[in-house]
């Protein structure tokens, strides 16, 4: 059986402004839903501690900014470099670097600026 195709999505700067202000990015729910349709698994890959990330995701779901059960797992990144082997096939991130040789698996997105009301992820 082939390995499942997995998409990883960063939290800060992609789905929300940052872990302190936590402004949800317009279109975040549509983006995550599209990823769920396109992949076998979708994981949140973040430097935010897992418990805090889970609380943030729970709030975003409860407030209707993300679909129910948006992620199959939350993976805590230990450093600014996010190795993808064993985690995901593709990473959507605004600031992280990936391990050498994995650059082709990184999709860099513009960081979310909540002041810019024209910003949308989807």
């Amino acid at each position: 059986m082939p390995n499942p195709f997995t998409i990883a999505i960063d939290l800060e700067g992609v789905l929300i402004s940052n872990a302190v202000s936590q402004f949800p990015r317009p279109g975040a729910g549509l983006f995550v839903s599209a990823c769920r349709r396109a992949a076998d698994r979708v994981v949140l890959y973040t430097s935010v501690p897992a418990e805090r990330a889970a609380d943030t995701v729970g709030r975003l779901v409860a407030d209707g900014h993300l679909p129910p059960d948006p992620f199959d797992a939350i993976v805590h990144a230990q450093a600014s470099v996010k190795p993808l082997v064993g985690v995901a096939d593709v990473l959507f991130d605004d600031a992280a670097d990936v391990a050498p040789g994995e650059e082709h698996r990184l999709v860099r997105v513009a960081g979310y600026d909540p002041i810019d009301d024209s910003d949308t992820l989807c």
Side-chain angles (χ1 to χ4, degrees):
M1 180 169 172
N3 290 332
F5 179 72
T6 303
I7 293 175
I9 304 170
D10 181 40
L11 180 62
E12 293 182 292
V14 177
L15 299 179
I16 62 171
S17 52
N18 60 59
V20 176
S21 63
Q22 299 186 9
F23 292 112
R25 187 178 203 159
L30 292 173
F31 177 72
V32 170
S33 293
C35 289
R36 297 230 25 105
R37 288 189 302 275
D40 300 306
R41 297 182 71 238
V42 177
V43 299
L44 187 68
Y45 198 7
T46 180
S47 59
V48 174
E51 186 175 317
R52 182 164 185 165
D55 289 345
T56 300
V57 168
R59 246 186 327 280
L60 292 169
V61 169
D63 292 344
H65 298 291
L66 291 179
D69 301 317
F71 304 107
D72 295 295
I74 295 175
V75 179
H76 181 256
Q78 300 296 322
S80 64
V81 173
K82 293 180 177 174
L84 297 176
V85 170
V87 176
D89 298 288
V90 175
L91 169 64
F92 289 90
D93 203 310
D94 66 313
D97 291 317
V98 294
E102 295 182 331
E103 297 85 1
H104 65 285
R105 296 165 60 182
L106 173 64
V107 178
R108 183 112 25 221
V109 298
Y112 174 47
D113 177 3
I115 303 298
D116 179 2
D117 62 359
S118 67
D119 185 297
T120 184
L121 191 55
C122 212

